[in-house]
Amino acid sequence: MKSKILIADDERNIRLLYRTEFEHEGYEVELAENGMECLKKIETFKPDLVILDIRMPGIDGLETLNQILGKNNVLPVIINSAYSAYKDNFMSWSADAYIVKSSDLTELKEKVKELLSESN
Amino acid sequence: MEVITKAKKLEEMIQNTPFIFFKCRNEHPRWPVDFITDNISLLGYHPDEFYRGLLLDDLMFEEDKERVSKETIENIHSGIDNFVLEYRFYPKRGEPIWVEHHFQVERDSFGEVSMFHGVLHDINPRKQAEISLQQSELKYQLLVNNSSVGILYIKNDGLILDANPTMISILGLKSLEELKNINIFDSQPLIQSGISDAFRFSLEKYQTRTFEHPYASKWGKQIFLNYTIIPIYSKDNEFLGAEAIVEDITRRKLAENQIQQSRDYLDKIINAIPDPIFVKDRDHKWVLLNDAFCNFIGYPRESLLGKGDEDFFLPEEVDIFVQNDNLVFETGNENLNEERITDSQNNIHYTLTKKTLYIDPHNGEKLLVGVIRDITKRKRIEEELLKNERLLTKVTESAHDVIILIDSKNRIIYSNQTINRVFGYNSDEILNKTVFDLVPYYDFSTLDSIAPKSYKSEGNKKGGVKFPVEITWSAVIFDEQPHYLGMIRDRTEKVKLEQMLEKELEKLKRLLELDSFLLNINELDLIIDTVLVTITAGSGFRFNRGFILLEDDPSGFLKGVSAIGPADPGEAGRIYHNLASQNLSLADLIQNHHENRDVYDQRVKDLVKKIYLNPKEDKFFNIIFSKKIIIETKKDNLYPDSYIISLLNNDDLVFIPLIVNDGVIGIIIVDNYITRRSIPDEDLELLQLYANRVASAVQKAKLHKALNLEISKTKEANIQITQINNRLIQTEKMAAMGEITSEIAHEIRNPLVSIGGFARALARSIDPEDKNRELLNIIIDESQRLENILSNVLSYARGNRVIAERRSITEAINQAIKLLEYHKQEKNLDLISNFEEPFLQDYDYEKMIQVFFNLIKNAMQASEKDGKIEISVQKIHQRAVIRIKDYGSGIKTEHLDSIFNPFFTTKSQGIGLGLSIVKQIINNHGGEINFITEEGQGTEFITTMALNNNLN
């Protein structure tokens, strides 16, 4: 069975890129435009892993992470932000990984693979 | 047997006592003796006489017989068996004596007296004493009754007990009854209150009291009574009462009154005498004084009587009084003396005192009678006169001017002592001279009697010496003859002073002239040249040579600055000749000297420049510096170190301190090396004044120079500040721009990720041989480059937070080298690492990787192909020192200040954040970064960081 990845990012093109790349990698991918949608889709889609942008309208990635942890603290979450500054925010420490956005998705893909193999 | 012995012993004992024991039996009416002790012999009898029938009753004195038998019978009938009776008894010889008879009755069973025992005791001595006492009491009573003084007995409660007849008669009473039972504390006309007071006094004080008081007797006769109250006490000191002895002293009182009256009369007469009169006793105490005396001394009579001179006058005055008194007391001669007395108001009186001896005809007492005449006024006038005369003499004699009195024949009839000093004649010599021996002729007839005439002239001293004088003549009448009073003033000193003043003025003028050259010069060199020329010029001080030493700032050493003068006589000759021919003014000379300052007098200048010494450590110069005085070596016999003397080749030197605000700032040395001319004192004085001016000018020049220096420094600082300010503004601008850039960079990253990401996705799906594949690769590379730029921008914008770990710094360096492997290979660079033994330190691993990445990358970019880069790590004093050295192009000088500024770059690639990030990170670690560079030779960056750092 394919592993399920939920990707939350407010940028449409990023979502599209990630969907293309991760489906190409053989994952089942679901997208969310903001934190609220992300939380809902965790309930409905039941992903094996979540990739979470920080800067999003409404509740931001860190707040979303907080709420995810409140419900399910075994779900692997990767923070994927354009900012490296949030690395210093203690909230982001509770994520399983913090990867700065790059057009080279190699690092992100490797981290996803690593976390999923750990959780299985 | 034993009983008998005891009875015998008892008998023996009794025999030795004066008590005679006996026993009689009742053979009514007789009482024959049964037993009697042998000591009856004390009364001249033998016991046998009684045993043979002698009865004791027969020996009883007849007059007592009836009393004794009556008392005996009474006692026996009353049942008293023990009793004592006294009666007279006939001894064998002589008068009857008193005995004491102790009776002890013995009764039979019917109560009848059968026998009595008796003891006889001779009590004659006691009895005799009692009798004589009775007799003396009688006699006393007689005495009291017939006493010429009244006697009164008063009980302790004040009740009158008894009085003698005299008392009764003194008080004019008829009988004792009128006085008896009167209490003296009750108000009784008979006994005045004086008695009760005196009685009370005796009661309280245990003392006898005497007082007098007048008493009007019953018939109105006025009498005076003298009471003496004598307290009477029991053995236990209990106050029983008092005996009052009362004497009628009326007659004595009357006599006394009479005496008093005649005395008052005498007093009146004495007090009426205006001259003070006193009478002293042998102890020099006043016993009689008249009113005039009391007024004279200024005290009331009560406080004077009984006292003497020593209580009121000064000790030295008293000594004289006593001396004079004693003379009178001892010789009996009258004494008349002038004496000085200081009264109570401290006024001095002069007195003429006459003292006479008086011997009291009654008791022979020696008294001194003194009569004083106050002669103070006369004395004062005399003294005043004398004082005036003395004053006048003093004034004339001590006058500075000669005062002479001349008669109409021009003879000097008086002159004061001053003439001796001024003209040289003594006062005797002068009396033979005429006035015209002293001064030139003057026609006295032109003098009027009102206005004195004054004129300047010439005096003739004894011996003919002339001197300037000022003469004042006035006409006076003396002894009713016209005379002329002359006052001649010696003007010698005044003329001298005038000349001196003129000289001083001249000096001052010269000084002002010399000083004028120093005015408005602010340049030290020009001042020095001016001073040197002034010292030596003919119109200046005309010294041969001059040297100037000035205090060297800031060492405080004295340093030879410049000099003037010939090096030897030959040169001197040439110079003097030269100058003389040119006839230059002082101003010209100064100008000339200054223009040729590098040419003239080089030899003496070289000499003086060898002088460099600490005036505090040099004995000689220390004197000048501390005392601030001119030293003339020869004259003051004070010489500087032989080094100076041999340097200047002269030991006759003058050292003049340059004094400003109480401090010495330099020294001028002058001498007459060539001419050996001695230096006049006045020149030296002027030179000192000039030196003061020079000192001020030098100080001014120094200050001027310092001021200029400060001004230029300030200007420079101002420029620097402006530069720094501009740079700061630039930096701020850059920082603001950086912040905006950082914000934009983030916004750029998302689209960039999309572009690059999709390009990669596309590239994956395109045949590697497809031409478009190369184009896609360009998109991929360029977007990657943009991302890298963004990373740099963002990490600069990221905060200063350092997350320190304790690990070896070489780990970060190695990591950075690893990341740059590609660049290294590209240029085929030789990377030489020279790390010491690894050591641990606190640092942010990620950030320091970035630091070394940037530094090494810069080094690589600066290096030529096949170049060399050296990286070393050392531990020095608990600090890590990391050096990264390339042998590349080096940094251009104009870029040295800006390489650490953000956004500064010389490269076509990158945005110039590299080194500014490096510096920021190292600073955040509390470390520092420096560099050494040379264009074309390469650059070395040196990073220094503490090993132990509390960075979190």
Side-chain angles (χ1 to χ4, degrees), chain A residues 7 12 15 17 25 29 31 38 41-42 46 50 80 87 91-92 98 100 114 116:
Chain A
I7 296 164
R12 190 181 145 272
R15 290 199 301 271
L17 176 68
E25 293 288 313
V29 176
L31 304 172
C38 173
K41 290 207 168 158
I42 287 172
K46 301 203 184 306
V50 178
N80 186 228
K87 269 187 186 174
M91 202 45 235
S92 68
Y98 190 112
V100 178
E114 182 192 324
L116 285 174

mmCIF file with all atom_site columns, all heavy atoms in Angstrom, chain A residues 7 12 15 17 25 29 31 38 41-42 46 50 80 87 91-92 98 100 114 116:
data_model
loop_
_atom_site.group_PDB
_atom_site.id
_atom_site.type_symbol
_atom_site.label_atom_id
_atom_site.label_alt_id
_atom_site.label_comp_id
_atom_site.label_asym_id
_atom_site.label_entity_id
_atom_site.label_seq_id
_atom_site.pdbx_PDB_ins_code
_atom_site.Cartn_x
_atom_site.Cartn_y
_atom_site.Cartn_z
_atom_site.occupancy
_atom_site.B_iso_or_equiv
_atom_site.pdbx_formal_charge
_atom_site.auth_seq_id
_atom_site.auth_comp_id
_atom_site.auth_asym_id
_atom_site.auth_atom_id
_atom_site.pdbx_PDB_model_num
ATOM 1   N N   . ILE A 1 7   ? 0.298  17.527 2.262   1.00 0.00 ? 7   ILE A N   1
ATOM 2   C CA  . ILE A 1 7   ? 1.171  18.691 2.123   1.00 0.00 ? 7   ILE A CA  1
ATOM 3   C C   . ILE A 1 7   ? 0.345  19.955 2.297   1.00 0.00 ? 7   ILE A C   1
ATOM 4   O O   . ILE A 1 7   ? -0.641 20.158 1.575   1.00 0.00 ? 7   ILE A O   1
ATOM 5   C CB  . ILE A 1 7   ? 1.848  18.709 0.746   1.00 0.00 ? 7   ILE A CB  1
ATOM 6   C CG1 . ILE A 1 7   ? 2.777  17.468 0.621   1.00 0.00 ? 7   ILE A CG1 1
ATOM 7   C CG2 . ILE A 1 7   ? 2.676  19.986 0.535   1.00 0.00 ? 7   ILE A CG2 1
ATOM 8   C CD1 . ILE A 1 7   ? 3.202  17.173 -0.785  1.00 0.00 ? 7   ILE A CD1 1
ATOM 9   N N   . ARG A 1 12  ? 0.084  27.927 -4.469  1.00 0.00 ? 12  ARG A N   1
ATOM 10  C CA  . ARG A 1 12  ? -0.487 26.918 -5.366  1.00 0.00 ? 12  ARG A CA  1
ATOM 11  C C   . ARG A 1 12  ? 0.611  26.173 -6.104  1.00 0.00 ? 12  ARG A C   1
ATOM 12  O O   . ARG A 1 12  ? 0.603  24.938 -6.195  1.00 0.00 ? 12  ARG A O   1
ATOM 13  C CB  . ARG A 1 12  ? -1.415 27.620 -6.360  1.00 0.00 ? 12  ARG A CB  1
ATOM 14  C CG  . ARG A 1 12  ? -2.264 26.697 -7.198  1.00 0.00 ? 12  ARG A CG  1
ATOM 15  C CD  . ARG A 1 12  ? -3.153 27.491 -8.175  1.00 0.00 ? 12  ARG A CD  1
ATOM 16  N NE  . ARG A 1 12  ? -3.317 26.773 -9.425  1.00 0.00 ? 12  ARG A NE  1
ATOM 17  C CZ  . ARG A 1 12  ? -2.511 26.861 -10.477 1.00 0.00 ? 12  ARG A CZ  1
ATOM 18  N NH1 . ARG A 1 12  ? -1.471 27.662 -10.424 1.00 0.00 ? 12  ARG A NH1 1
ATOM 19  N NH2 . ARG A 1 12  ? -2.733 26.172 -11.585 1.00 0.00 ? 12  ARG A NH2 1
ATOM 20  N N   . ARG A 1 15  ? 2.427  23.660 -4.084  1.00 0.00 ? 15  ARG A N   1
ATOM 21  C CA  . ARG A 1 15  ? 1.596  22.467 -3.886  1.00 0.00 ? 15  ARG A CA  1
ATOM 22  C C   . ARG A 1 15  ? 1.672  21.564 -5.113  1.00 0.00 ? 15  ARG A C   1
ATOM 23  O O   . ARG A 1 15  ? 1.855  20.355 -5.003  1.00 0.00 ? 15  ARG A O   1
ATOM 24  C CB  . ARG A 1 15  ? 0.140  22.871 -3.618  1.00 0.00 ? 15  ARG A CB  1
ATOM 25  C CG  . ARG A 1 15  ? -0.093 23.519 -2.276  1.00 0.00 ? 15  ARG A CG  1
ATOM 26  C CD  . ARG A 1 15  ? -1.571 23.469 -1.869  1.00 0.00 ? 15  ARG A CD  1
ATOM 27  N NE  . ARG A 1 15  ? -2.461 24.132 -2.801  1.00 0.00 ? 15  ARG A NE  1
ATOM 28  C CZ  . ARG A 1 15  ? -2.791 25.415 -2.761  1.00 0.00 ? 15  ARG A CZ  1
ATOM 29  N NH1 . ARG A 1 15  ? -2.294 26.199 -1.807  1.00 0.00 ? 15  ARG A NH1 1
ATOM 30  N NH2 . ARG A 1 15  ? -3.623 25.923 -3.656  1.00 0.00 ? 15  ARG A NH2 1
ATOM 31  N N   . LEU A 1 17  ? 4.025  21.461 -7.440  1.00 0.00 ? 17  LEU A N   1
ATOM 32  C CA  . LEU A 1 17  ? 5.359  20.872 -7.575  1.00 0.00 ? 17  LEU A CA  1
ATOM 33  C C   . LEU A 1 17  ? 5.502  19.664 -6.660  1.00 0.00 ? 17  LEU A C   1
ATOM 34  O O   . LEU A 1 17  ? 5.948  18.593 -7.081  1.00 0.00 ? 17  LEU A O   1
ATOM 35  C CB  . LEU A 1 17  ? 6.431  21.918 -7.226  1.00 0.00 ? 17  LEU A CB  1
ATOM 36  C CG  . LEU A 1 17  ? 7.870  21.418 -7.221  1.00 0.00 ? 17  LEU A CG  1
ATOM 37  C CD1 . LEU A 1 17  ? 8.335  21.053 -8.645  1.00 0.00 ? 17  LEU A CD1 1
ATOM 38  C CD2 . LEU A 1 17  ? 8.818  22.451 -6.609  1.00 0.00 ? 17  LEU A CD2 1
ATOM 39  N N   . GLU A 1 25  ? 7.424  9.957  -6.814  1.00 0.00 ? 25  GLU A N   1
ATOM 40  C CA  . GLU A 1 25  ? 8.168  9.100  -5.891  1.00 0.00 ? 25  GLU A CA  1
ATOM 41  C C   . GLU A 1 25  ? 7.331  7.914  -5.442  1.00 0.00 ? 25  GLU A C   1
ATOM 42  O O   . GLU A 1 25  ? 7.842  7.031  -4.734  1.00 0.00 ? 25  GLU A O   1
ATOM 43  C CB  . GLU A 1 25  ? 8.600  9.902  -4.643  1.00 0.00 ? 25  GLU A CB  1
ATOM 44  C CG  . GLU A 1 25  ? 9.639  10.997 -4.905  1.00 0.00 ? 25  GLU A CG  1
ATOM 45  C CD  . GLU A 1 25  ? 11.024 10.437 -5.200  1.00 0.00 ? 25  GLU A CD  1
ATOM 46  O OE1 . GLU A 1 25  ? 11.496 9.534  -4.454  1.00 0.00 ? 25  GLU A OE1 1
ATOM 47  O OE2 . GLU A 1 25  ? 11.624 10.894 -6.205  1.00 0.00 ? 25  GLU A OE2 1
ATOM 48  N N   . VAL A 1 29  ? -0.703 11.499 -2.492  1.00 0.00 ? 29  VAL A N   1
ATOM 49  C CA  . VAL A 1 29  ? -0.513 12.868 -1.986  1.00 0.00 ? 29  VAL A CA  1
ATOM 50  C C   . VAL A 1 29  ? -1.852 13.590 -1.872  1.00 0.00 ? 29  VAL A C   1
ATOM 51  O O   . VAL A 1 29  ? -2.700 13.492 -2.737  1.00 0.00 ? 29  VAL A O   1
ATOM 52  C CB  . VAL A 1 29  ? 0.406  13.661 -2.935  1.00 0.00 ? 29  VAL A CB  1
ATOM 53  C CG1 . VAL A 1 29  ? 0.535  15.116 -2.459  1.00 0.00 ? 29  VAL A CG1 1
ATOM 54  C CG2 . VAL A 1 29  ? 1.780  13.013 -3.018  1.00 0.00 ? 29  VAL A CG2 1
ATOM 55  N N   . LEU A 1 31  ? -3.444 17.605 -0.650  1.00 0.00 ? 31  LEU A N   1
ATOM 56  C CA  . LEU A 1 31  ? -2.959 18.973 -0.414  1.00 0.00 ? 31  LEU A CA  1
ATOM 57  C C   . LEU A 1 31  ? -3.901 19.769 0.479   1.00 0.00 ? 31  LEU A C   1
ATOM 58  O O   . LEU A 1 31  ? -5.110 19.505 0.488   1.00 0.00 ? 31  LEU A O   1
ATOM 59  C CB  . LEU A 1 31  ? -2.798 19.708 -1.750  1.00 0.00 ? 31  LEU A CB  1
ATOM 60  C CG  . LEU A 1 31  ? -1.877 19.034 -2.778  1.00 0.00 ? 31  LEU A CG  1
ATOM 61  C CD1 . LEU A 1 31  ? -1.949 19.749 -4.114  1.00 0.00 ? 31  LEU A CD1 1
ATOM 62  C CD2 . LEU A 1 31  ? -0.430 19.013 -2.262  1.00 0.00 ? 31  LEU A CD2 1
ATOM 63  N N   . CYS A 1 38  ? -5.665 21.750 6.624   1.00 0.00 ? 38  CYS A N   1
ATOM 64  C CA  . CYS A 1 38  ? -4.693 20.705 6.965   1.00 0.00 ? 38  CYS A CA  1
ATOM 65  C C   . CYS A 1 38  ? -5.217 19.862 8.124   1.00 0.00 ? 38  CYS A C   1
ATOM 66  O O   . CYS A 1 38  ? -5.225 18.623 8.058   1.00 0.00 ? 38  CYS A O   1
ATOM 67  C CB  . CYS A 1 38  ? -3.361 21.330 7.303   1.00 0.00 ? 38  CYS A CB  1
ATOM 68  S SG  . CYS A 1 38  ? -2.133 20.165 7.938   1.00 0.00 ? 38  CYS A SG  1
ATOM 69  N N   . LYS A 1 41  ? -8.072 17.665 6.987   1.00 0.00 ? 41  LYS A N   1
ATOM 70  C CA  . LYS A 1 41  ? -7.682 16.566 6.108   1.00 0.00 ? 41  LYS A CA  1
ATOM 71  C C   . LYS A 1 41  ? -6.896 15.479 6.846   1.00 0.00 ? 41  LYS A C   1
ATOM 72  O O   . LYS A 1 41  ? -6.853 14.329 6.397   1.00 0.00 ? 41  LYS A O   1
ATOM 73  C CB  . LYS A 1 41  ? -6.880 17.108 4.920   1.00 0.00 ? 41  LYS A CB  1
ATOM 74  C CG  . LYS A 1 41  ? -7.777 17.899 3.982   1.00 0.00 ? 41  LYS A CG  1
ATOM 75  C CD  . LYS A 1 41  ? -7.307 17.932 2.553   1.00 0.00 ? 41  LYS A CD  1
ATOM 76  C CE  . LYS A 1 41  ? -8.430 18.494 1.687   1.00 0.00 ? 41  LYS A CE  1
ATOM 77  N NZ  . LYS A 1 41  ? -7.885 19.026 0.420   1.00 0.00 ? 41  LYS A NZ  1
ATOM 78  N N   . ILE A 1 42  ? -6.284 15.905 7.986   1.00 0.00 ? 42  ILE A N   1
ATOM 79  C CA  . ILE A 1 42  ? -5.651 14.868 8.804   1.00 0.00 ? 42  ILE A CA  1
ATOM 80  C C   . ILE A 1 42  ? -6.721 13.883 9.282   1.00 0.00 ? 42  ILE A C   1
ATOM 81  O O   . ILE A 1 42  ? -6.535 12.661 9.271   1.00 0.00 ? 42  ILE A O   1
ATOM 82  C CB  . ILE A 1 42  ? -4.898 15.487 9.990   1.00 0.00 ? 42  ILE A CB  1
ATOM 83  C CG1 . ILE A 1 42  ? -3.632 16.172 9.471   1.00 0.00 ? 42  ILE A CG1 1
ATOM 84  C CG2 . ILE A 1 42  ? -4.489 14.420 11.027  1.00 0.00 ? 42  ILE A CG2 1
ATOM 85  C CD1 . ILE A 1 42  ? -2.897 16.994 10.508  1.00 0.00 ? 42  ILE A CD1 1
ATOM 86  N N   . LYS A 1 46  ? -6.263 10.930 6.742   1.00 0.00 ? 46  LYS A N   1
ATOM 87  C CA  . LYS A 1 46  ? -5.447 10.118 7.637   1.00 0.00 ? 46  LYS A CA  1
ATOM 88  C C   . LYS A 1 46  ? -4.064 9.835  7.035   1.00 0.00 ? 46  LYS A C   1
ATOM 89  O O   . LYS A 1 46  ? -3.720 8.701  6.656   1.00 0.00 ? 46  LYS A O   1
ATOM 90  C CB  . LYS A 1 46  ? -6.141 8.796  8.000   1.00 0.00 ? 46  LYS A CB  1
ATOM 91  C CG  . LYS A 1 46  ? -7.479 9.014  8.673   1.00 0.00 ? 46  LYS A CG  1
ATOM 92  C CD  . LYS A 1 46  ? -7.865 7.807  9.491   1.00 0.00 ? 46  LYS A CD  1
ATOM 93  C CE  . LYS A 1 46  ? -9.249 7.963  10.089  1.00 0.00 ? 46  LYS A CE  1
ATOM 94  N NZ  . LYS A 1 46  ? -9.388 9.193  10.869  1.00 0.00 ? 46  LYS A NZ  1
ATOM 95  N N   . VAL A 1 50  ? 3.029  14.459 7.378   1.00 0.00 ? 50  VAL A N   1
ATOM 96  C CA  . VAL A 1 50  ? 2.560  15.786 6.973   1.00 0.00 ? 50  VAL A CA  1
ATOM 97  C C   . VAL A 1 50  ? 3.767  16.685 6.680   1.00 0.00 ? 50  VAL A C   1
ATOM 98  O O   . VAL A 1 50  ? 4.736  16.696 7.447   1.00 0.00 ? 50  VAL A O   1
ATOM 99  C CB  . VAL A 1 50  ? 1.693  16.446 8.086   1.00 0.00 ? 50  VAL A CB  1
ATOM 100 C CG1 . VAL A 1 50  ? 1.248  17.842 7.662   1.00 0.00 ? 50  VAL A CG1 1
ATOM 101 C CG2 . VAL A 1 50  ? 0.494  15.574 8.402   1.00 0.00 ? 50  VAL A CG2 1
ATOM 102 N N   . ASN A 1 80  ? 8.475  22.720 6.465   1.00 0.00 ? 80  ASN A N   1
ATOM 103 C CA  . ASN A 1 80  ? 9.147  23.060 5.219   1.00 0.00 ? 80  ASN A CA  1
ATOM 104 C C   . ASN A 1 80  ? 8.856  24.521 4.926   1.00 0.00 ? 80  ASN A C   1
ATOM 105 O O   . ASN A 1 80  ? 7.767  24.881 4.498   1.00 0.00 ? 80  ASN A O   1
ATOM 106 C CB  . ASN A 1 80  ? 8.623  22.161 4.101   1.00 0.00 ? 80  ASN A CB  1
ATOM 107 C CG  . ASN A 1 80  ? 9.398  22.361 2.805   1.00 0.00 ? 80  ASN A CG  1
ATOM 108 O OD1 . ASN A 1 80  ? 8.833  22.522 1.742   1.00 0.00 ? 80  ASN A OD1 1
ATOM 109 N ND2 . ASN A 1 80  ? 10.717 22.347 2.896   1.00 0.00 ? 80  ASN A ND2 1
ATOM 110 N N   . LYS A 1 87  ? 13.798 28.049 12.810  1.00 0.00 ? 87  LYS A N   1
ATOM 111 C CA  . LYS A 1 87  ? 14.549 26.971 13.455  1.00 0.00 ? 87  LYS A CA  1
ATOM 112 C C   . LYS A 1 87  ? 14.777 27.268 14.923  1.00 0.00 ? 87  LYS A C   1
ATOM 113 O O   . LYS A 1 87  ? 14.908 26.382 15.748  1.00 0.00 ? 87  LYS A O   1
ATOM 114 C CB  . LYS A 1 87  ? 15.923 26.806 12.802  1.00 0.00 ? 87  LYS A CB  1
ATOM 115 C CG  . LYS A 1 87  ? 15.928 25.813 11.652  1.00 0.00 ? 87  LYS A CG  1
ATOM 116 C CD  . LYS A 1 87  ? 17.360 25.585 11.173  1.00 0.00 ? 87  LYS A CD  1
ATOM 117 C CE  . LYS A 1 87  ? 17.350 24.712 9.929   1.00 0.00 ? 87  LYS A CE  1
ATOM 118 N NZ  . LYS A 1 87  ? 18.701 24.590 9.360   1.00 0.00 ? 87  LYS A NZ  1
ATOM 119 N N   . MET A 1 91  ? 8.784  25.947 19.110  1.00 0.00 ? 91  MET A N   1
ATOM 120 C CA  . MET A 1 91  ? 7.632  25.199 18.604  1.00 0.00 ? 91  MET A CA  1
ATOM 121 C C   . MET A 1 91  ? 8.069  24.268 17.471  1.00 0.00 ? 91  MET A C   1
ATOM 122 O O   . MET A 1 91  ? 7.630  23.128 17.383  1.00 0.00 ? 91  MET A O   1
ATOM 123 C CB  . MET A 1 91  ? 6.594  26.222 18.109  1.00 0.00 ? 91  MET A CB  1
ATOM 124 C CG  . MET A 1 91  ? 5.160  25.724 18.026  1.00 0.00 ? 91  MET A CG  1
ATOM 125 S SD  . MET A 1 91  ? 4.641  24.786 19.448  1.00 0.00 ? 91  MET A SD  1
ATOM 126 C CE  . MET A 1 91  ? 4.118  23.316 18.600  1.00 0.00 ? 91  MET A CE  1
ATOM 127 N N   . SER A 1 92  ? 8.989  24.837 16.680  1.00 0.00 ? 92  SER A N   1
ATOM 128 C CA  . SER A 1 92  ? 9.404  24.042 15.524  1.00 0.00 ? 92  SER A CA  1
ATOM 129 C C   . SER A 1 92  ? 10.271 22.856 15.933  1.00 0.00 ? 92  SER A C   1
ATOM 130 O O   . SER A 1 92  ? 10.461 21.924 15.177  1.00 0.00 ? 92  SER A O   1
ATOM 131 C CB  . SER A 1 92  ? 10.159 24.922 14.528  1.00 0.00 ? 92  SER A CB  1
ATOM 132 O OG  . SER A 1 92  ? 11.383 25.320 15.097  1.00 0.00 ? 92  SER A OG  1
ATOM 133 N N   . TYR A 1 98  ? 13.110 19.917 10.149  1.00 0.00 ? 98  TYR A N   1
ATOM 134 C CA  . TYR A 1 98  ? 12.925 21.289 9.686   1.00 0.00 ? 98  TYR A CA  1
ATOM 135 C C   . TYR A 1 98  ? 13.785 21.413 8.443   1.00 0.00 ? 98  TYR A C   1
ATOM 136 O O   . TYR A 1 98  ? 15.019 21.340 8.506   1.00 0.00 ? 98  TYR A O   1
ATOM 137 C CB  . TYR A 1 98  ? 13.404 22.268 10.762  1.00 0.00 ? 98  TYR A CB  1
ATOM 138 C CG  . TYR A 1 98  ? 13.057 23.712 10.494  1.00 0.00 ? 98  TYR A CG  1
ATOM 139 C CD1 . TYR A 1 98  ? 12.135 24.382 11.308  1.00 0.00 ? 98  TYR A CD1 1
ATOM 140 C CD2 . TYR A 1 98  ? 13.642 24.425 9.454   1.00 0.00 ? 98  TYR A CD2 1
ATOM 141 C CE1 . TYR A 1 98  ? 11.816 25.710 11.081  1.00 0.00 ? 98  TYR A CE1 1
ATOM 142 C CE2 . TYR A 1 98  ? 13.317 25.747 9.217   1.00 0.00 ? 98  TYR A CE2 1
ATOM 143 C CZ  . TYR A 1 98  ? 12.406 26.388 10.032  1.00 0.00 ? 98  TYR A CZ  1
ATOM 144 O OH  . TYR A 1 98  ? 12.101 27.706 9.815   1.00 0.00 ? 98  TYR A OH  1
ATOM 145 N N   . VAL A 1 100 ? 14.585 23.739 5.026   1.00 0.00 ? 100 VAL A N   1
ATOM 146 C CA  . VAL A 1 100 ? 14.359 24.994 4.312   1.00 0.00 ? 100 VAL A CA  1
ATOM 147 C C   . VAL A 1 100 ? 14.023 24.663 2.856   1.00 0.00 ? 100 VAL A C   1
ATOM 148 O O   . VAL A 1 100 ? 14.624 23.770 2.259   1.00 0.00 ? 100 VAL A O   1
ATOM 149 C CB  . VAL A 1 100 ? 15.620 25.888 4.408   1.00 0.00 ? 100 VAL A CB  1
ATOM 150 C CG1 . VAL A 1 100 ? 15.418 27.173 3.639   1.00 0.00 ? 100 VAL A CG1 1
ATOM 151 C CG2 . VAL A 1 100 ? 15.923 26.182 5.869   1.00 0.00 ? 100 VAL A CG2 1
ATOM 152 N N   . GLU A 1 114 ? 13.013 8.605  5.117   1.00 0.00 ? 114 GLU A N   1
ATOM 153 C CA  . GLU A 1 114 ? 13.605 8.213  6.400   1.00 0.00 ? 114 GLU A CA  1
ATOM 154 C C   . GLU A 1 114 ? 12.541 8.114  7.493   1.00 0.00 ? 114 GLU A C   1
ATOM 155 O O   . GLU A 1 114 ? 12.471 7.122  8.210   1.00 0.00 ? 114 GLU A O   1
ATOM 156 C CB  . GLU A 1 114 ? 14.677 9.247  6.765   1.00 0.00 ? 114 GLU A CB  1
ATOM 157 C CG  . GLU A 1 114 ? 15.439 8.974  8.044   1.00 0.00 ? 114 GLU A CG  1
ATOM 158 C CD  . GLU A 1 114 ? 16.257 10.189 8.459   1.00 0.00 ? 114 GLU A CD  1
ATOM 159 O OE1 . GLU A 1 114 ? 16.790 10.903 7.572   1.00 0.00 ? 114 GLU A OE1 1
ATOM 160 O OE2 . GLU A 1 114 ? 16.341 10.459 9.684   1.00 0.00 ? 114 GLU A OE2 1
ATOM 161 N N   . LEU A 1 116 ? 9.253  7.890  7.187   1.00 0.00 ? 116 LEU A N   1
ATOM 162 C CA  . LEU A 1 116 ? 8.233  6.864  6.934   1.00 0.00 ? 116 LEU A CA  1
ATOM 163 C C   . LEU A 1 116 ? 8.787  5.475  7.241   1.00 0.00 ? 116 LEU A C   1
ATOM 164 O O   . LEU A 1 116 ? 8.069  4.644  7.791   1.00 0.00 ? 116 LEU A O   1
ATOM 165 C CB  . LEU A 1 116 ? 7.743  6.936  5.485   1.00 0.00 ? 116 LEU A CB  1
ATOM 166 C CG  . LEU A 1 116 ? 6.797  8.113  5.210   1.00 0.00 ? 116 LEU A CG  1
ATOM 167 C CD1 . LEU A 1 116 ? 6.480  8.209  3.736   1.00 0.00 ? 116 LEU A CD1 1
ATOM 168 C CD2 . LEU A 1 116 ? 5.505  7.972  6.029   1.00 0.00 ? 116 LEU A CD2 1
#
